[in-house]
Amino acid sequence: MNVNREELLQILKKNLKNENLIKHSIAVEVIMRSLAERFGEDPEEWGVAGLLHDIDLDKTRKIPKFHGVMGAEMLKKMGFSESIVHAVKAHNPETHTPRETLLDKALYSADPMSGLITACALVKGKKLSNVDEQFVLKRFKEKRFASGANREQISACKDFGLSLEEFVKIALNSMKSIAKEIGL
Ligand SMILES: [Fe+2]
């Protein structure tokens, strides 16, 4: 399916009304693009999976086990690739969908990583430029800091071949490259 980024953003904004959730989606998109580059995979495809992974969230907030399942159905109907559809379904552990591909595994960990890094920026004057890798790694260990950013999911980066340090570096640098777009 060939859709340009402007159209992808329109699809996202049509389905998600919360501005912070759109910024979160854009953050996961850029992390996924960087991870794809790191692994010699397709940054376009991985970026789409990141950008649209929460597309059903306005509809599934009250029924968490449907989150990802409904999103996958929506994306399938729109004609996105089976790899994207599967990764979106598998990113929510509550769907009990096995994470099979590198893309599945990367999306599962990139999602909470974007939350952790965003929380780091928020306590540093809302500026990503004030955040370095050591700061993120330190906060990672504080379980009560950004407790919604699931540490086990982030640590699962080892399942796609990255140490936590490498993953933080890639994710932080990628988010810094689009800091303005996400208001950080
Ligand atoms: Fe998400």
Side-chain angles (χ1 to χ4, degrees), residues 46-93:
W46 284 38
V48 172
L51 187 67
L52 301 182
H53 77 283
D54 275 342
I55 194 161
D56 66 15
L57 211 47
D58 281 357
K59 301 178 182 71
T60 58
R61 214 171 265 288
K62 287 181 184 150
I63 21 170
K65 67 176 180 182
F66 290 160
H67 174 49
V69 176
M70 192 181 279
E73 279 169 17
M74 291 162 73
L75 296 178
K76 193 174 185 172
K77 263 186 211 150
M78 289 179 216
F80 288 97
S81 73
E82 185 48 46
S83 332
I84 292 174
V85 168
H86 190 269
V88 167
K89 189 175 175 191
H91 97 274
N92 178 11

Side-chain angles (χ1 to χ4, degrees), residues 60-151:
T60 58
R61 214 171 265 288
K62 287 181 184 150
I63 21 170
K65 67 176 180 182
F66 290 160
H67 174 49
V69 176
M70 192 181 279
E73 279 169 17
M74 291 162 73
L75 296 178
K76 193 174 185 172
K77 263 186 211 150
M78 289 179 216
F80 288 97
S81 73
E82 185 48 46
S83 332
I84 292 174
V85 168
H86 190 269
V88 167
K89 189 175 175 191
H91 97 274
N92 178 11
E94 292 196 45
T95 68
H96 302 290
T97 306
R99 292 178 295 282
E100 291 157 351
T101 64
L102 259 187
L103 170 54
D104 294 348
K105 292 171 187 174
L107 184 60
Y108 179 73
S109 296
D111 186 15
M113 179 60 100
S114 85
L116 177 66
I117 293 175
T118 298
C120 287
L122 293 179
V123 298
K124 284 277 200 182
K126 294 191 182 176
K127 288 236 169 293
L128 272 170
S129 56
N130 294 336
V131 179
D132 61 19
E133 290 157 45
Q134 291 315 312
F135 186 76
V136 178
L137 289 166
K138 205 172 117 194
R139 295 298 189 166
F140 174 87
K141 292 188 197 132
E142 294 169 20
K143 299 286 180 258
R144 277 187 304 186
F145 179 83
S147 57
N150 188 303
R151 305 303 201 262

